[in-house]
Amino acid sequence: LYVNGKKTRKADIFPGDTILVGMFELTVHDGDPSASAAPTEVAPERQVDALSRLVAFSNSLMEDTTPDNLFKSLLKEVVELTEAEKGFIIVLQDGKRHLAAAHRIGEEAVDVSRISDSIVENVVDTGKPLIVSNATEDKRFGKAKSVVDLRLSSVMCVPLVYRSEMLGVIYLGNDAVQNLFDNGTLALLQVFAAQASMIVHTALLLNELKLSNTNLRKLLAQGNQGEIIGTCADMKAVF
C-alpha cells in the first residue's frame, strides 16, 4: 500500500494522512468516525445554484470571450458559490504559472501574494483536488513555509482539466476560522470546475482562432496591391 504517496508494508498513520489501497484512496480523520466524518452530500438548493451560475457563465461567453474577462467572470461565480473570501485562477502556459484572475469579497483589494505555493504545486503535480480545512493544523502542509508565513486558515484548490490537458487551477481561501471549507463544498467546486474547464477550453480555442484570423488578414494586407495579392519575388517585380 501507499501512505502519503510512499510505498510501504507498515507505517504509523495520523490524522490527515492518505492511504492508497488498490483503486481506493482513504483519508485518516481524528476522533469518532460518526462524529468527525465531513459531509460529502451537497444540498439540492446548492446544486441548483451551481447549475444556474454555470449556465449564466456559459451565456456570458456569447458576449465576450477574451481570456481576461473569461477568467474574471468564472472566478467571481466560484467565489460566490463557495462563499470564499478570496480566489485566484492560475493558468499554465509554456510550463510556467501565470495569474489569470484574482477576486475578493468586499471592497478590500485582493493580495496576490497570499497563495500557498506548496498547495498549488501539489495540485498541479497530482492533478487532484485538495482541501485543507485548517491549514495550520494540517499534517501535510501545516509546516510548509508558505502556510506558516501567510497564516492560512482554510484552502481549496482544484485543477482545471480538459481531457488530459491541465489548463490551470482554481485556488480559494478563507482566513476566518468560522468559515472553514468542508468536503461538501469541495465536491460542489469539483463539479463546477469540471464543466467550466470545457467552456474555458472552447473559449480559449475560439480566441486563438480569432487572433490567427486577424494575423492572417494583416499578412495579406501587407502583400496586397489593389485587387491583386502576391508576395513571391516575381509578383513583387510585377508590382
Side-chain angles (χ1 to χ4, degrees):
L1 52 83
Y2 290 81
V3 176
N4 297 328
K6 295 182 180 180
K7 189 175 182 179
T8 182
R9 294 177 62 86
K10 180 180 180 181
D12 293 326
I13 56 176
F14 304 92
D17 286 348
T18 58
I19 306 170
L20 187 65
V21 184
M23 63 180 290
F24 299 99
E25 184 178 80
L26 314 177
T27 302
V28 182
H29 294 274
D30 196 9
D32 186 285
S34 61
S36 64
T40 56
E41 296 268 339
V42 181
E45 57 270 20
R46 295 196 71 187
Q47 295 182 29
V48 172
D49 184 32
L51 290 174
S52 298
R53 291 182 182 277
L54 192 60
V55 170
F57 173 62
S58 302
N59 291 336
S60 68
L61 299 184
M62 302 293 289
E63 303 173 2
D64 191 351
T65 57
T66 56
D68 286 347
N69 292 337
L70 167 70
F71 287 120
K72 287 178 181 177
S73 176
L74 170 61
L75 188 57
K76 182 176 182 295
E77 296 294 341
V78 167
V79 167
E80 293 179 358
L81 174 68
T82 58
E83 299 180 351
E85 291 181 359
K86 54 183 174 290
F88 308 88
I89 291 183
I90 300 170
V91 296
L92 305 178
Q93 294 178 336
D94 302 322
K96 297 182 179 180
R97 302 171 195 170
H98 303 275
L99 182 66
H103 182 75
R104 183 183 181 91
I105 297 296
E107 299 180 357
E108 184 179 350
V110 62
D111 186 357
V112 297
S113 66
R114 295 190 64 80
I115 300 177
S116 170
D117 294 332
S118 303
I119 292 175
V120 172
E121 184 176 350
N122 181 281
V123 174
V124 171
D125 289 345
T126 63
K128 296 181 179 180
L130 180 66
I131 180 173
V132 181
S133 292
N134 194 335
T136 56
E137 296 182 5
D138 188 88
K139 181 176 176 61
R140 299 163 296 174
F141 302 102
K143 295 182 180 180
K145 187 177 186 301
S146 58
V147 171
V148 174
D149 291 348
L150 298 175
R151 297 179 181 178
L152 299 177
S153 181
S154 187
V155 174
M156 284 194 301
C157 189
V158 299
L160 283 170
V161 179
Y162 177 73
R163 294 183 178 175
S164 59
E165 180 184 359
M166 172 78 77
L167 304 177
V169 301
I170 298 176
Y171 179 103
L172 303 176
N174 273 336
D175 292 337
V177 177
Q178 64 268 28
N179 292 326
L180 300 179
F181 294 126
D182 56 37
N183 286 340
T185 306
L186 178 64
L188 198 64
L189 179 59
Q190 282 182 259
V191 173
F192 193 98
Q195 299 301 317
S197 295
M198 294 186 287
I199 300 172
V200 168
H201 181 271
T202 302
L204 292 178
L205 184 60
L206 179 60
N207 187 69
E208 288 180 7
L209 290 174
K210 287 181 178 179
L211 290 176
S212 297
N213 182 274
T214 301
N215 292 334
L216 285 173
R217 289 183 179 277
K218 288 181 180 179
L219 289 174
L220 288 174
Q222 292 173 3
N224 186 12
Q225 298 290 332
E227 297 298 323
I228 305 174
I229 297 175
T231 57
C232 65
D234 292 339
M235 287 305 297
K236 287 182 178 178
V238 172
F239 294 146

